[in-house]
Amino acid sequence: MIHALRGMKDLIFDDARRYEYIIGTLSRIARNYGFEYIETPILEETRLFKRSVGESSDIVGKEMYQFTDKGGNDVCLRPEGTAGVVRAFVQAKLDRQQGQKYRFFYHGPMFRYERPQKGRLREFHQFGVESFGEKSVEEDFTLIVMLAEIFEALGIRTRVKINSLGCTACMPPYRRRLVGYLEAIAQELCPDCQRRIATNPIRVLDCKNEQCQKLLEEAPKLSQELCEQCDRDFTRLRKLLTEAGIAYEVDTHLVRGLDYYSGAAFEFVSDEIGAQSAVAGGGRYDRLVEFLEGRPTPGVGFAIGIERIMELVRMPQERREGWYLGAMTPEALDRLLPLARRLRRSHRVVVEYAPKGLKAHLKGADKAKARYCAVIGEEELAKEHIWIKDLEAREEKTVPLKELEKLEAQ
Ligand code: HAM
């Protein structure tokens, strides 16, 4: 038997239903917040991610599904959605509409060649939003509120962590100070962190190694060294969240695993899903459009990991829906087919093609989760009637076929 690849999963039955429900709910909320749907290719040039997510990040450095296509192009399966949306934004020349705001949402598969474990897949799905052209911290606030609303709508309890990653004015001097601190304790840090001092020192802050975390307690904190503007923005963000009744923790070690962030960064975590607890992450990326050769345009967004929330979602009760049509004779089946076609214009209809007895049809309707079981037998056919049982109300009746055909319009 051929199996799905390691770290990749089929979405079938309950998982598929949950996936569809989540995407439907999130799309509705995204539209309410003024976002519109965008779809970008799953395969992109590798250099798109090198330039945006960053060569020193684990995602680009270790986890890309990268290959040379038949035309000799260096391509890879997208490891995340933001880079592709920003590329599309620049390619559509939207960066030239200065002062305009563009808000997009997307969902689909992402690929990272990670070591699979609970909550960590090689193919997983994200629902994300990206907002362009809005520099105000109110937009950061709105995206956090939106995430809070999303998790509330899905019945999922989360904690919110926020941080500020500064800007081109305050980040470089902070990075230098941090490198100085890290170099002094380098011997005691784990090998990964030792390597990162030179390549990506900020990432050291979020090392999961306990000894490293202990050593980092005394490390300089960016939140205490923000420039005036970043400090004002971060203070305002905290004030807005407090006033909105959204509980948050400031986590000075929250640095995110992608290099394009500046300013506000946030993560939503769940304490009910084990070690891979981040269910959503995002932040501001005011330089990214420039990195991809567009005109400077502020941006902010987030993405939710669908598989991580799948089991937590409180699903609405499943209800019986639509029609099951069955025939007791071959002639009756011929009468059912045109009826099914008409009803399907506005109703869910399942047709059983094999003629059989009433009991068997009722069983079939139950399995098909239909609300109504409608059957034509010899007698009904002769009178142009149809027998209908409402499986919810447990009522049955025989009506003229014409009456059912009229339902099509409702
Ligand atoms: P990210 O934090 O790398 O951010 O991913 C967002 C979410 O995707 C994570 O919080 C997690 O729930 C889920 N996720 C990540 N990797 C895996 C995996 N291997 N298996 C299952 N779920 C996973 C981004 O991707 C950014 N593009 C978010 C963003 C949008 N920032 C600004 N705009």
Side-chain angles (χ1 to χ4, degrees):
M1 201 202 314
I2 300 171
H3 287 261
L5 292 171
R6 194 163 125 77
M8 303 197 179
K9 268 182 29 180
D10 301 309
L11 292 177
I12 186 167
F13 295 133
D14 192 43
D15 282 345
R17 277 192 286 273
R18 283 171 179 270
Y19 184 78
E20 230 192 338
Y21 173 71
I22 293 169
I23 297 301
T25 306
L26 271 46
S27 303
R28 180 177 50 75
I29 295 176
R31 285 186 203 285
N32 286 355
Y33 277 77
F35 289 83
E36 62 184 306
Y37 184 61
I38 187 171
E39 174 95 35
T40 65
I42 290 170
L43 204 58
E44 295 269 9
E45 275 194 60
T46 301
R47 64 192 176 114
L48 169 64
F49 301 105
K50 285 191 174 164
R51 266 206 234 162
S52 53
V53 178
E55 294 203 55
S56 61
S57 68
D58 283 353
I59 296 179
V60 170
K62 303 184 192 162
E63 298 169 359
M64 297 250 270
Y65 276 87
Q66 185 180 355
F67 60 96
T68 307
D69 73 6
K70 288 187 169 64
N73 304 301
D74 182 2
V75 298
C76 71
L77 297 176
R78 63 183 183 194
E80 59 104 50
T82 309
V85 174
V86 175
R87 181 203 46 67
F89 176 82
V90 176
Q91 192 172 330
K93 300 191 171 55
L94 302 178
D95 57 322
R96 305 201 185 162
Q97 318 280 320
Q98 291 292 317
Q100 286 269 26
K101 325 265 191 260
Y102 293 95
R103 294 187 177 88
F104 299 108
F105 75 91
Y106 55 89
H107 47 83
M110 310 291 160
F111 301 83
R112 296 183 191 177
Y113 198 85
E114 301 198 73
R115 203 164 47 76
Q117 54 180 273
K118 186 172 174 348
R120 190 191 277 164
L121 292 153
R122 287 181 174 169
E123 184 194 29
F124 59 98
H125 296 78
Q126 283 186 348
F127 181 98
V129 309
E130 312 296 349
S131 162
F132 296 96
E134 186 53 88
K135 179 83 191 86
S136 324
V137 69
E138 282 77 4
E139 188 73 347
D140 309 349
F141 162 73
T142 301
L143 293 199
I144 296 174
V145 168
M146 182 175 166
L147 273 172
E149 185 184 330
I150 283 173
F151 289 120
E152 197 187 319
L154 297 174
I156 298 176
R157 255 191 315 215
T158 53
R159 284 188 294 120
V160 186
K161 297 202 266 184
I162 62 168
N163 194 18
S164 172
L165 297 176
C167 65
T168 46
C170 49
M171 179 46 109
Y174 168 73
R175 185 183 287 120
R176 280 195 291 277
R177 262 175 48 77
L178 180 66
V179 169
Y181 177 87
L182 295 175
E183 278 170 346
I185 56 162
Q187 299 302 320
E188 298 161 77
L189 291 170
C190 74
D192 260 355
C193 285
Q194 289 183 4
R195 200 171 30 79
R196 282 191 180 125
I197 297 176
T199 57
N200 196 349
I202 305 297
R203 280 288 286 177
V204 172
L205 292 173
D206 123 278
C207 176
K208 300 290 175 277
N209 183 306
E210 259 176 53
Q211 166 149 351
C212 293
Q213 274 309 323
K214 225 168 165 57
L215 289 164
L216 291 167
E217 276 169 16
E218 303 294 317
K221 306 217 177 332
L222 177 57
S223 55
Q224 283 158 17
E225 301 186 25
L226 292 172
C227 65
E228 225 181 286
Q229 181 65 47
C230 288
D231 190 47
R232 211 178 311 131
D233 283 349
F234 196 47
T235 306
R236 171 129 177 97
L237 176 62
R238 295 195 313 260
K239 179 171 175 274
L240 289 172
L241 289 172
T242 305
E243 284 171 4
I246 294 179
Y248 61 86
E249 333 161 9
V250 174
D251 179 352
T252 52
H253 290 181
L254 173 71
V255 298
R256 311 276 302 122
L258 309 95
D259 291 354
Y260 47 64
Y261 293 110
S262 56
F266 44 88
E267 251 172 38
F268 278 59
V269 295
S270 158
D271 295 324
E272 291 160 40
I273 51 172
Q276 303 308 315
S277 59
V279 288
R284 193 158 265 288
Y285 47 82
D286 290 343
R287 308 274 322 277
L288 184 51
V289 176
E290 262 171 279
F291 294 162
L292 297 177
E293 290 162 45
R295 296 191 185 161
T297 310
V300 55
F302 66 70
I304 301 173
I306 306 294
E307 280 81 359
R308 292 207 182 153
I309 58 171
M310 202 103 106
E311 289 165 30
L312 301 175
V313 172
R314 218 177 27 231
M315 293 281 286
Q317 222 191 346
E318 223 190 320
R319 299 199 57 181
R320 294 183 168 282
E321 196 200 333
W323 292 80
Y324 168 100
L325 304 184
M328 292 170 78
T329 66
E331 297 73 31
L333 177 65
D334 289 353
R335 190 65 187 84
L336 273 188
L337 294 176
L339 174 67
R341 200 168 154 197
R342 296 187 69 150
L343 277 180
R344 277 183 174 138
R345 291 183 193 156
S346 44
H347 300 272
R348 169 178 181 260
V349 177
V350 177
V351 181
E352 171 57 59
Y353 304 128
K356 51 178 98 168
L358 205 55
K359 231 176 164 177
H361 279 313
L362 281 165
K363 236 190 203 162
D366 190 48
K367 259 203 152 146
K369 299 198 175 81
R371 164 96 193 254
Y372 302 99
C373 175
V375 179
I376 306 185
E378 215 169 320
E379 226 175 277
E380 287 84 11
L381 187 64
K383 293 191 197 151
E384 277 282 304
H385 279 176
I386 187 163
W387 177 87
I388 301 171
K389 178 158 183 178
D390 180 340
L391 297 176
E392 216 167 81
R394 303 196 169 282
E395 285 164 7
E396 48 185 273
K397 58 182 176 187
T398 302
V399 300
L401 266 164
K402 272 206 175 63
E403 211 167 284
L404 199 54
E405 280 165 355
K406 273 191 263 160
L407 262 185
E408 169 222 325
Q410 287 171 20

